[in-house]
Amino acid sequence: MHPVDAFLLEESEEAVWESFHENSKTSRATPHLYFDRHPADSTVVAVMNGLRETKPYRDRPRIALPYELPPSKIDLDEALIGRESARGFGRGPVGLPDVSKVLRCAYGVTRPNADSRYPRPFRAVPSGGALYPLELYLWARDVSGLVKGLYHYDPTAHELHELGEFEAGSCFVQSELVASAPAVLLVSAVFQRSVFKYGERGYRFVLVEAGHAVHNAVLAASGRGLAAVPVGGYFDRELDDLLGFDGLHESVVYSLLLGSREAE
């Protein structure tokens, strides 16, 4: 056997992702799974009403964000074709209006859903069942108008909850790159919001949704002339612990570094 084939065979025999992927498939041959046994609509609505739409942080100072979106400096075609992952950032802070736009385009509320039986207003990304399992946190390292520290984004009110001092550079594999970024977006998932309805399949939906949100943020940043790079290389348990997550019911699933472009 070729060494590469032997390596791939050995890897596939121990690959947990293969088992999960197979077990989270929707199949006509297994009518007891997922879509064929998810809760009745009335149950879904009742559970949604019992789950928070977003984490409240009621005892924390609130900072209203500018609601008007600053105009993009380039059109969507340019942002898409010109998208690149930043390998460094220029000096100086990121403006609060730019951060506000990135957050709103990533996961902000876009329109009400009052004519539906489901209680969640729609947001800037597609979400399985409109369940919106994600939470967004901003680590402001150098953002004009904000004290350095950690903030939670409330998409329903378009405001930040100030959570206090924060330092997580050592939790990232590329810690030097993080150290050069004025702003870091941390995306966590409250898995129960999705899996109560879709079971194992719901976990897939959570990760897909995180990708939608971060890419929206990347395009919004590009439109404002900012540099951005999505980052998945972090030490999960350490980062979750710093944020106060148990790592099981809620955990960081993605992150994004933001800053000005390096001088050419």
Short mmCIF file of all heavy atoms in Angstrom, two decimals, residues 119-149:
data_model
loop_
_atom_site.label_atom_id
_atom_site.label_comp_id
_atom_site.label_asym_id
_atom_site.label_seq_id
_atom_site.Cartn_x
_atom_site.Cartn_y
_atom_site.Cartn_z
N PRO A 119 -41.55 33.96 17.12
CA PRO A 119 -41.32 35.21 17.86
C PRO A 119 -40.03 35.95 17.55
O PRO A 119 -39.79 36.99 18.15
CB PRO A 119 -41.31 34.71 19.32
CG PRO A 119 -40.79 33.32 19.25
CD PRO A 119 -41.29 32.76 17.95
N ARG A 120 -39.18 35.47 16.66
CA ARG A 120 -37.91 36.13 16.42
C ARG A 120 -37.97 37.05 15.20
O ARG A 120 -38.40 36.62 14.12
CB ARG A 120 -36.80 35.09 16.18
CG ARG A 120 -36.55 34.14 17.34
CD ARG A 120 -35.74 34.80 18.44
NE ARG A 120 -35.38 33.83 19.45
CZ ARG A 120 -36.07 33.59 20.57
NH1 ARG A 120 -37.19 34.27 20.78
NH2 ARG A 120 -35.67 32.70 21.44
N PRO A 121 -37.53 38.30 15.34
CA PRO A 121 -37.38 39.14 14.15
C PRO A 121 -36.23 38.62 13.30
O PRO A 121 -35.32 37.96 13.79
CB PRO A 121 -37.07 40.52 14.73
CG PRO A 121 -36.49 40.25 16.08
CD PRO A 121 -37.16 39.01 16.58
N PHE A 122 -36.27 38.92 12.02
CA PHE A 122 -35.23 38.44 11.12
C PHE A 122 -33.94 39.24 11.28
O PHE A 122 -33.97 40.42 11.64
CB PHE A 122 -35.71 38.51 9.67
CG PHE A 122 -36.80 37.53 9.35
CD1 PHE A 122 -38.06 37.97 8.95
CD2 PHE A 122 -36.58 36.17 9.44
CE1 PHE A 122 -39.07 37.07 8.65
CE2 PHE A 122 -37.58 35.26 9.15
CZ PHE A 122 -38.83 35.71 8.75
N ARG A 123 -32.84 38.58 10.98
CA ARG A 123 -31.54 39.23 11.09
C ARG A 123 -30.81 39.19 9.74
O ARG A 123 -31.36 38.74 8.74
CB ARG A 123 -30.70 38.56 12.18
CG ARG A 123 -31.38 38.64 13.55
CD ARG A 123 -30.43 38.27 14.66
NE ARG A 123 -31.14 38.11 15.92
CZ ARG A 123 -30.56 37.74 17.05
NH1 ARG A 123 -29.26 37.49 17.07
NH2 ARG A 123 -31.26 37.59 18.15
N ALA A 124 -29.58 39.65 9.75
CA ALA A 124 -28.83 39.83 8.51
C ALA A 124 -28.30 38.53 7.91
O ALA A 124 -27.71 38.55 6.84
CB ALA A 124 -27.66 40.79 8.74
N VAL A 125 -28.52 37.42 8.59
CA VAL A 125 -28.07 36.13 8.06
C VAL A 125 -29.22 35.13 8.04
O VAL A 125 -30.16 35.24 8.85
CB VAL A 125 -26.92 35.53 8.92
CG1 VAL A 125 -25.70 36.43 8.89
CG2 VAL A 125 -27.37 35.28 10.36
N PRO A 126 -29.16 34.15 7.15
CA PRO A 126 -30.13 33.05 7.22
C PRO A 126 -29.83 32.19 8.43
O PRO A 126 -28.67 31.98 8.79
CB PRO A 126 -29.89 32.28 5.91
CG PRO A 126 -28.50 32.62 5.49
CD PRO A 126 -28.23 34.00 6.00
N SER A 127 -30.88 31.71 9.07
CA SER A 127 -30.73 30.90 10.28
C SER A 127 -31.72 29.76 10.23
O SER A 127 -32.91 29.98 9.95
CB SER A 127 -30.98 31.77 11.52
OG SER A 127 -30.87 31.01 12.71
N GLY A 128 -31.27 28.56 10.47
CA GLY A 128 -32.16 27.40 10.48
C GLY A 128 -33.32 27.60 11.43
O GLY A 128 -33.11 27.73 12.64
N GLY A 129 -34.55 27.65 10.90
CA GLY A 129 -35.73 27.85 11.74
C GLY A 129 -35.83 29.24 12.33
O GLY A 129 -36.64 29.48 13.23
N ALA A 130 -35.01 30.19 11.85
CA ALA A 130 -34.96 31.55 12.42
C ALA A 130 -34.75 31.49 13.93
O ALA A 130 -35.36 32.22 14.71
CB ALA A 130 -36.21 32.35 12.08
N LEU A 131 -33.84 30.60 14.35
CA LEU A 131 -33.60 30.38 15.78
C LEU A 131 -32.46 31.23 16.33
O LEU A 131 -32.37 31.43 17.53
CB LEU A 131 -33.32 28.89 16.04
CG LEU A 131 -34.47 27.95 15.67
CD1 LEU A 131 -34.04 26.49 15.79
CD2 LEU A 131 -35.68 28.23 16.56
N TYR A 132 -31.55 31.67 15.50
CA TYR A 132 -30.48 32.59 15.85
C TYR A 132 -29.72 32.19 17.12
O TYR A 132 -29.85 32.84 18.17
CB TYR A 132 -31.02 34.02 15.95
CG TYR A 132 -31.70 34.45 14.67
CD1 TYR A 132 -33.09 34.59 14.60
CD2 TYR A 132 -30.96 34.66 13.51
CE1 TYR A 132 -33.71 34.95 13.41
CE2 TYR A 132 -31.58 35.02 12.32
CZ TYR A 132 -32.94 35.16 12.27
OH TYR A 132 -33.56 35.51 11.09
N PRO A 133 -28.92 31.16 17.03
CA PRO A 133 -28.22 30.64 18.20
C PRO A 133 -26.93 31.37 18.57
O PRO A 133 -26.30 31.03 19.57
CB PRO A 133 -27.90 29.20 17.79
CG PRO A 133 -27.70 29.29 16.30
CD PRO A 133 -28.72 30.30 15.84
N LEU A 134 -26.51 32.36 17.78
CA LEU A 134 -25.19 32.97 17.99
C LEU A 134 -25.26 34.16 18.94
O LEU A 134 -26.28 34.83 19.05
CB LEU A 134 -24.59 33.42 16.66
CG LEU A 134 -24.47 32.35 15.57
CD1 LEU A 134 -23.84 32.96 14.32
CD2 LEU A 134 -23.65 31.16 16.05
N GLU A 135 -24.13 34.42 19.59
CA GLU A 135 -23.91 35.63 20.36
C GLU A 135 -22.60 36.25 19.88
O GLU A 135 -21.63 35.53 19.62
CB GLU A 135 -23.80 35.33 21.86
CG GLU A 135 -25.05 34.74 22.48
CD GLU A 135 -26.13 35.78 22.75
OE1 GLU A 135 -25.82 37.00 22.71
OE2 GLU A 135 -27.28 35.38 23.00
N LEU A 136 -22.55 37.58 19.76
CA LEU A 136 -21.36 38.26 19.29
C LEU A 136 -20.75 39.09 20.41
O LEU A 136 -21.46 39.83 21.11
CB LEU A 136 -21.68 39.18 18.10
CG LEU A 136 -21.60 38.55 16.70
CD1 LEU A 136 -22.49 37.34 16.56
CD2 LEU A 136 -21.93 39.59 15.63
N TYR A 137 -19.44 38.96 20.55
CA TYR A 137 -18.67 39.71 21.54
C TYR A 137 -17.59 40.51 20.82
O TYR A 137 -16.97 40.02 19.87
CB TYR A 137 -18.03 38.78 22.56
CG TYR A 137 -19.04 38.10 23.46
CD1 TYR A 137 -19.72 36.96 23.04
CD2 TYR A 137 -19.32 38.60 24.72
CE1 TYR A 137 -20.66 36.35 23.85
CE2 TYR A 137 -20.26 38.00 25.54
CZ TYR A 137 -20.93 36.87 25.10
OH TYR A 137 -21.86 36.27 25.90
N LEU A 138 -17.37 41.72 21.27
CA LEU A 138 -16.34 42.58 20.71
C LEU A 138 -15.24 42.77 21.75
O LEU A 138 -15.49 43.26 22.85
CB LEU A 138 -16.94 43.94 20.33
CG LEU A 138 -15.93 45.00 19.90
CD1 LEU A 138 -15.31 44.65 18.54
CD2 LEU A 138 -16.58 46.38 19.85
N TRP A 139 -14.05 42.37 21.38
CA TRP A 139 -12.88 42.67 22.20
C TRP A 139 -12.27 43.93 21.62
O TRP A 139 -11.63 43.89 20.57
CB TRP A 139 -11.92 41.49 22.19
CG TRP A 139 -10.63 41.73 22.93
CD1 TRP A 139 -10.36 42.71 23.84
CD2 TRP A 139 -9.42 40.96 22.80
NE1 TRP A 139 -9.06 42.61 24.29
CE2 TRP A 139 -8.47 41.54 23.68
CE3 TRP A 139 -9.08 39.84 22.05
CZ2 TRP A 139 -7.18 41.04 23.80
CZ3 TRP A 139 -7.79 39.34 22.16
CH2 TRP A 139 -6.85 39.93 23.03
N ALA A 140 -12.51 45.05 22.27
CA ALA A 140 -12.03 46.34 21.78
C ALA A 140 -10.62 46.57 22.32
O ALA A 140 -10.44 46.85 23.51
CB ALA A 140 -12.96 47.46 22.22
N ARG A 141 -9.66 46.48 21.44
CA ARG A 141 -8.27 46.69 21.82
C ARG A 141 -7.85 48.13 21.52
O ARG A 141 -7.04 48.70 22.23
CB ARG A 141 -7.36 45.69 21.11
CG ARG A 141 -7.77 44.23 21.36
CD ARG A 141 -6.80 43.23 20.78
NE ARG A 141 -5.54 43.26 21.52
CZ ARG A 141 -4.43 43.87 21.09
NH1 ARG A 141 -4.44 44.49 19.91
NH2 ARG A 141 -3.33 43.85 21.80
N ASP A 142 -8.40 48.69 20.46
CA ASP A 142 -8.13 50.09 20.11
C ASP A 142 -9.27 50.57 19.21
O ASP A 142 -9.11 50.70 18.00
CB ASP A 142 -6.78 50.21 19.41
CG ASP A 142 -6.31 51.67 19.29
OD1 ASP A 142 -7.01 52.55 19.82
OD2 ASP A 142 -5.26 51.90 18.66
N VAL A 143 -10.39 50.84 19.83
CA VAL A 143 -11.58 51.31 19.11
C VAL A 143 -11.92 52.69 19.63
O VAL A 143 -12.15 52.87 20.83
CB VAL A 143 -12.78 50.35 19.30
CG1 VAL A 143 -14.01 50.91 18.60
CG2 VAL A 143 -12.45 48.96 18.78
N SER A 144 -11.96 53.66 18.74
CA SER A 144 -12.25 55.03 19.17
C SER A 144 -13.64 55.10 19.79
O SER A 144 -14.61 54.55 19.27
CB SER A 144 -12.16 55.99 17.98
OG SER A 144 -13.09 55.64 16.97
N GLY A 145 -13.72 55.74 20.94
CA GLY A 145 -15.01 55.88 21.62
C GLY A 145 -15.32 54.78 22.60
O GLY A 145 -16.34 54.85 23.30
N LEU A 146 -14.47 53.76 22.67
CA LEU A 146 -14.70 52.66 23.61
C LEU A 146 -13.47 52.47 24.51
O LEU A 146 -12.33 52.55 24.04
CB LEU A 146 -14.96 51.34 22.87
CG LEU A 146 -16.24 51.21 22.06
CD1 LEU A 146 -16.31 49.84 21.41
CD2 LEU A 146 -17.48 51.44 22.93
N VAL A 147 -13.72 52.23 25.78
CA VAL A 147 -12.66 51.84 26.69
C VAL A 147 -12.20 50.43 26.30
O VAL A 147 -13.02 49.59 25.91
CB VAL A 147 -13.18 51.85 28.14
CG1 VAL A 147 -12.12 51.33 29.10
CG2 VAL A 147 -13.62 53.25 28.53
N LYS A 148 -10.91 50.17 26.39
CA LYS A 148 -10.41 48.84 26.08
C LYS A 148 -11.09 47.80 26.95
O LYS A 148 -11.28 47.99 28.14
CB LYS A 148 -8.90 48.78 26.28
CG LYS A 148 -8.09 49.59 25.30
CD LYS A 148 -6.59 49.41 25.53
CE LYS A 148 -5.79 50.21 24.51
NZ LYS A 148 -4.32 50.05 24.73
N GLY A 149 -11.48 46.70 26.33
CA GLY A 149 -12.10 45.64 27.10
C GLY A 149 -13.07 44.83 26.26
O GLY A 149 -13.06 44.90 25.02
#
